[in-house]
Amino acid sequence: MMDKSIKIQRTQSILKELIPEALSTLEDEMLRGVCVIDVECSRGKYDAIVYLDGSVYDEAEKRYILSHLDRVQRHIQTHCMQAEGWFRCPHFRFRFDDSLERQNKMDTLFARVAEELAKGKKSDD
C-alpha cells in the first residue's frame, strides 16, 4: 500500500516540473508566466488537479488563463508523456490556489496589528 503513495508522490513531483516546462513552450505570453504551485494526482493517476498561483491576476485574467489552459491541455499532456516516456498522462484540471494570497493578506494584517500595538505602547509610556 505504501508503495502506491510513493509512486503517486513521484508522479506529482515530476508533473510539478514538467507542466511549467510545457507552459514555457507556448506562444501565449500570459500562459508562459503562470506559476504552478502544486499538483495533486488521483489514486489511479487518471486525473490531476494543477494548482496555480493566482495572486498576480485579476478575475478576468484568471478566467482567460483557465479557459486557454484547457485548450492547450493536449499539448501539455504530450510534453509530459514524451519527456517521461509515459503511455498515458493524467487529465489536468487547473485551479487557482488563493491560499498564498490569503497568507499574504494575513501577514499584512498581523503586521498592521503589531504596528498598532506598538503605537499603543508608546502612548502609554
Side-chain angles (χ1 to χ4, degrees), residues 19-71:
I19 294 169
E21 214 174 84
L23 292 174
S24 72
T25 67
L26 298 172
E27 286 182 24
D28 189 319
E29 193 75 32
M30 193 172 275
L31 296 184
R32 281 201 310 242
V34 172
C35 179
V36 175
I37 296 174
D38 203 7
V39 177
E40 220 173 78
C41 291
S42 65
R43 286 182 81 85
K45 293 193 272 190
Y46 293 107
D47 292 296
I49 298 173
V50 181
Y51 293 99
L52 310 169
D53 177 13
S55 61
V56 294
Y57 304 108
D58 63 31
E59 288 309 309
E61 289 170 326
K62 287 180 182 180
R63 280 194 300 276
Y64 172 89
I65 290 167
L66 292 177
S67 71
H68 283 74
L69 283 174
D70 282 340
R71 289 184 195 164

Side-chain angles (χ1 to χ4, degrees), residues 113-125:
V113 168
E115 210 174 277
E116 291 299 316
L117 287 172
K119 279 182 192 173
K121 279 200 170 105
K122 282 180 186 166
S123 64
D124 288 348
D125 292 342

